[in-house]
Amino acid sequence: YMTGQLASHWGAQAQVVDTPGTYSLQAKTEDELITKQVLTDPHFQLKPDRIVVVIDGTQISRHLLLAEQVRVLGLPMIIVVTM
């Protein structure tokens, strides 16, 4: 994963954690395992308080499983659809 700082024009700041692309939190690959750890491990050093799920608009059905799994976690989430 990668981390970075985000700052707005009005002074708000946030740390952003970009995890590898994944289709599910039922980890089958190393990338999915990293994303699952970031989202579910209470001891992970960068526990998110908000989640942005980016969905490929040309493959929406493939990505909705991940969006549903993240929703179940109960953290604030926004879905972004790209084309």
Side-chain angles (χ1 to χ4, degrees):
Y1 64 90
M2 296 183 66
T3 63
Q5 295 292 325
L6 179 67
S8 71
H9 293 289
W10 54 88
Q13 293 187 352
Q15 183 170 21
V16 177
V17 178
D18 183 14
T19 63
T22 185
Y23 297 109
S24 171
L25 293 182
Q26 297 172 347
K28 295 179 183 169
T29 67
E30 187 175 337
D31 287 349
E32 290 173 337
L33 186 60
I34 291 168
T35 300
K36 180 178 181 177
Q37 180 183 19
V38 168
L39 296 178
T40 63
D41 185 348
H43 303 293
F44 189 73
Q45 61 187 1
L46 299 171
K47 185 71 175 160
D49 56 357
R50 292 172 188 83
I51 300 170
V52 177
V53 177
V54 180
I55 294 177
D56 179 349
T58 64
Q59 299 181 15
I60 288 178
S61 61
R62 186 174 193 178
H63 296 273
L64 287 179
L65 172 62
L66 177 62
E68 173 61 14
Q69 291 171 333
V70 171
R71 184 194 67 78
V72 169
L73 294 176
L75 295 170
M77 173 183 66
I78 186 169
I79 297 174
V80 176
V81 180
T82 64
M83 295 305 250

